[in-house]
Amino acid sequence: MRVAVTNILWAGSNGVIFSAKTEEGRPVVVRHGEPLKPAPGEIYDVTGAEREYVDERGGRRRQIEADSVERASAAGSLLGPWLRSLPGVGAERAGRLVERFGAGLIQALGDPAQSAELAEALAPGRPHLGSKLAALLQARWVAMRAAEATALDEGSFYARLEEYGVTDRRAARSIYRLLGSTNSWAKLLEHPYAVAAVLDWRAADHVGVRLLRARGDAVDPLRHRDRLIGACDAAWRAILAGGSTAADAEEYAMRLGRLDVDAGEALELGIAARRAIRVAGVLRAPGAARLERAVAGELARLAAAPAAIEEWPLLVRRHEPQTHPLTDEQRRAVVEILKRPVAILQGGAGTGKTTTVRVVVDAWLGAGGSIVLAALSGKAALRLSRSTGRLALTLARLLHGLERRAELESEGRPIPEDLPRIGPDTMLVVDESSMVDLATWRRVLARLPAGGRLVMVGDVAQLPPVGLGRVYHDLVEDGRLVSRLTRVMRQAEDNPIVAAAGLVRDGVVPTPPVYAGPERKGVFMVECPTGGIVEVVERLRAEMAGADGGDDVLVLAALNATCRGICKDMQEKREASGAPGARLGPLAPFVAVGDPVMATKNRYDEALMNGLLGRVESVDPAAIRFDGEEVARQVSRDALAELVSAWAITGHRAQGSEARRVIVALDGVQSMTREWLYTAITRATQQVVLVGAKSSLRAAVGRRTMRVTGFPFELAALERQETLK
């Protein structure tokens, strides 16, 4: 049936519910499991099963469980809801328009010559107001018809794509956005293997070959240049999924060979078509290369600032902590950092990065500068706040605040005092920098004005970011901006967690004692076969939660399957215990107050970042207190649907997090690396328990994390700072 939307009842990333009216004026509620974003007044063709239900007030309603919802052209009586949704029109004026023009209303709305008649119907006896309303109405009609044309093209595109075997609407939408919103099918026929950037190669090849045949090309589809170039896109899709932005030419050719194409010919065509950029034997992905060049360019801009001329050594002495004076290594690092417009502080666990950063901050403030502190995760931001005595923000909250400030400034509106500000005298310190991905660095650096300073603090022994690139690791390997802390501080020398992490970092397999309870500090192990890991982890977590009230235990695993299994078990146990709870979305079907959750996507406009942990503080309405934040807050429906239960998370997701006790499941031999294990161990402040086989522990220490990038150091012009060393 054809319906007009009257009100949006709920919309999220996993579906939509809206009220509507049929062409006969009958009200219905439509439920659809796709993330459609309708607006009041829009017209849709809906198919699906219709049933009657009784609402909370006892009224009877008709509801359609829609199989499909497709945009349609506005016409006839269904124009009413659209007219009523417009500002200044409303129900009474909409009724007068329908009564006055009847079936000719559509023609009148599109005809400037009928503006006077529309004005009289909208505001009888008030020509000035009527003219304004008529002009607004006709402008909105033109915009609505344009949006309709785009939506109808999109619907037609999906229908035709489905004929070629693409039934996943999310993938279809991605392909549509990739091609653009006009003449999409013609564009796809022109570039049939554009789908290889979205679909796996088997599906993309199936669609591409059929499109080539439909196009009537005389060339054998399996040897067609479009197919060979599409294989290049498919190879990049797999490489980028692992976080790399570039590939060794031999590895890239090997990936092409797996796609049943001539690797040499495909590579030659891909380079000619700019699907791969060859630089000194390394191939770079075009989109990622643009991001890397942008980040390098921003670093070059910042690095071009003149060197500071302060008497830094004297100032540093003045701000040293009296109880724990800096070592010569730390003091040298502080002075180097204060002199450089762009500086990197690299140090392993226990080497005194926190103390060094505190002195840098105090000295810069003492010289009259301003400071902004940030970290990837809430826990890391909280640690940075406590160590420096100044507020630190998550990068998501910082970016949200800076972008909001820029928006208000451009509109000439007042700026709230709590919004962050970065000026020419500001030093931005980013902790846990090794875990920040390429796209986030691009956003951060774009907000640093000329003269601003950047200090990256991190540890290259940890995992690279969850997202693309490894900017911090690349810069540390280059070495020109780096101040290194290598000596483990006296107070950390006897810390068994620091000692075990150091062994792993150096490629030595630790020999942890057998776990004997939650009271003891250090690194321990519970040996068990892989099939028994989940059971042991859940038992240990319950034991540790009893010791700590459940608020400071972190369970890490290598495999998503292990995390899903533990989360499912815990949710079922919580629900069976009678705890009042709610469904947040498909990734968190049941949560109760106190349950851990985690964001799975970056939403800078809501100060959320992939991997940010939090705890549920209420379920009706849902409110989450995220790590590093003092109070719980509500987030959008889409953001709620993207939260996942976090009874167990992968080691990659744990980057920047911290807990008193950490349980590490040694569950995925092929997924665990030295950097993964080092990151997992250093998440704990008091106790680590490794669960699994000793052979898995040895395998993890012996395997390195590999990620290839093409960061363009020659563009960054960082050699300017050589004289400052």
Side-chain angles (χ1 to χ4, degrees), residues 436-577:
V436 181
D437 66 21
L438 183 61
T440 302
W441 277 125
R442 174 70 180 92
R443 294 170 66 99
V444 169
L445 293 170
R447 294 293 169 186
L448 273 171
R453 300 297 183 98
L454 174 66
V455 180
M456 300 179 176
V457 183
D459 183 356
V460 290
Q462 293 182 342
L463 282 165
V466 173
L468 277 180
R470 33 167 263 161
V471 173
Y472 179 86
H473 296 70
D474 283 336
L475 291 171
V476 170
E477 285 180 14
D478 177 70
R480 283 174 284 179
L481 306 178
V482 185
S483 299
R484 300 178 189 272
L485 299 179
T486 59
R487 176 184 167 190
V488 175
M489 303 304 293
R490 184 178 301 125
Q491 57 269 31
E493 285 178 344
D494 296 329
N495 185 326
I497 294 176
V498 172
L503 290 173
V504 171
R505 181 193 62 225
D506 296 337
V508 178
V509 180
T511 55
V514 175
Y515 171 75
E519 299 81 14
R520 296 177 61 190
K521 295 183 179 180
V523 180
F524 305 91
M525 188 161 188
V526 175
E527 286 192 73
C528 70
T530 302
I533 285 178
V534 169
E535 181 182 350
V536 173
V537 166
E538 290 182 1
R539 174 176 58 79
L540 288 174
R541 197 193 187 290
E543 184 179 336
M544 291 180 177
D548 269 346
D551 285 336
D552 212 11
V553 180
L554 188 61
V555 176
L556 306 181
L559 302 178
N560 279 309
T562 303
C563 296
R564 287 194 296 268
I566 293 172
C567 288
K568 182 174 182 292
D569 287 351
M570 290 303 301
Q571 289 173 86
E572 290 175 351
K573 288 175 181 177
R574 292 284 279 162
E575 189 169 13
S577 72

Side-chain angles (χ1 to χ4, degrees), residues 25 28 30 50 57 62 86 184-185 200 226 348 369 391 397 406 431 437 454 458 469 502 531 537 548 581 704:
V28 295
V30 177
E50 187 174 351
R57 297 180 181 177
R62 303 298 299 177
L86 298 180
S184 50
W185 190 253
D200 68 82
D226 286 354
L391 177 65
R397 188 167 285 280
D431 199 10
D437 66 21
L454 174 66
V537 166
D548 269 346
R704 303 300 303 272

Side-chain angles (χ1 to χ4, degrees), residues 229 403 507 629:
I229 292 172
E403 289 165 3
E629 299 181 13

Side-chain angles (χ1 to χ4, degrees), residues 18-291:
F18 61 87
S19 59
K21 283 196 173 180
T22 67
E23 291 179 286
E24 299 79 27
R26 182 166 57 92
V28 295
V29 172
V30 177
R31 294 171 57 99
H32 187 44
E34 294 283 342
L36 186 72
K37 294 191 176 180
E42 290 181 347
I43 314 298
Y44 289 92
D45 285 327
V46 179
T47 60
E50 187 174 351
R51 66 179 180 85
E52 187 178 79
Y53 76 100
V54 179
D55 63 23
E56 61 272 14
R57 297 180 181 177
R60 294 186 176 276
R61 292 198 177 197
R62 303 298 299 177
Q63 179 170 293
I64 302 173
E65 297 291 340
D67 298 320
S68 70
V69 176
E70 303 289 349
R71 185 74 178 267
S73 295
S77 62
L78 291 179
L79 274 178
W82 176 73
L83 290 168
R84 288 192 291 274
S85 73
L86 298 180
V89 178
E92 184 179 344
R93 287 174 174 152
R96 286 204 299 268
L97 286 170
V98 173
E99 183 179 350
R100 173 78 170 267
F101 292 94
L105 179 56
I106 288 178
Q107 180 181 344
L109 291 172
D111 185 0
Q114 293 189 259
S115 296
E117 286 185 74
L118 289 168
E120 176 59 26
L122 285 164
R126 303 176 67 186
H128 184 66
L129 174 61
S131 296
K132 281 189 172 182
L133 290 174
L136 172 65
L137 179 57
Q138 289 189 311
R140 290 295 181 94
W141 174 253
V142 171
M144 193 267 277
R145 294 298 270 195
E148 261 184 10
T150 299
L152 290 170
D153 176 72
E154 185 175 358
S156 172
F157 178 81
Y158 294 158
R160 298 184 77 171
L161 202 57
E162 191 167 347
E163 293 174 11
Y164 281 76
V166 181
T167 57
D168 184 339
R169 276 300 179 93
R170 293 177 188 270
R173 274 192 294 273
S174 296
I175 295 168
Y176 183 78
R177 287 195 297 269
L178 182 68
L179 293 168
S181 57
T182 56
N183 301 319
S184 50
W185 190 253
K187 289 178 181 176
L188 184 58
L189 282 174
E190 187 179 349
H191 303 286
Y193 274 86
V195 295
V198 176
L199 303 176
D200 68 82
W201 177 246
R202 184 185 294 272
D205 198 24
H206 174 76
V207 173
V209 167
R210 290 188 63 188
L211 287 169
L212 285 173
R213 286 177 175 149
R215 209 166 70 176
D217 282 21
V219 180
D220 176 5
L222 298 181
R223 296 293 306 278
H224 200 286
R225 71 181 302 275
D226 286 354
R227 182 173 185 265
L228 298 176
I229 292 172
C232 292
D233 292 338
W236 280 129
R237 185 171 180 266
I239 290 167
L240 294 171
S244 293
T245 62
D248 176 85
E250 187 176 337
E251 183 208 346
Y252 190 75
M254 179 185 67
R255 287 182 179 273
L256 286 172
R258 293 173 183 167
L259 303 180
D260 192 27
V261 298
D262 184 306
E265 189 179 357
L267 180 54
E268 184 179 338
L269 286 169
I271 291 173
R274 301 291 292 174
R275 290 302 210 282
I277 303 168
R278 192 196 298 274
V279 180
V282 173
L283 297 172
R284 301 175 67 196
R290 283 193 293 273
L291 265 179

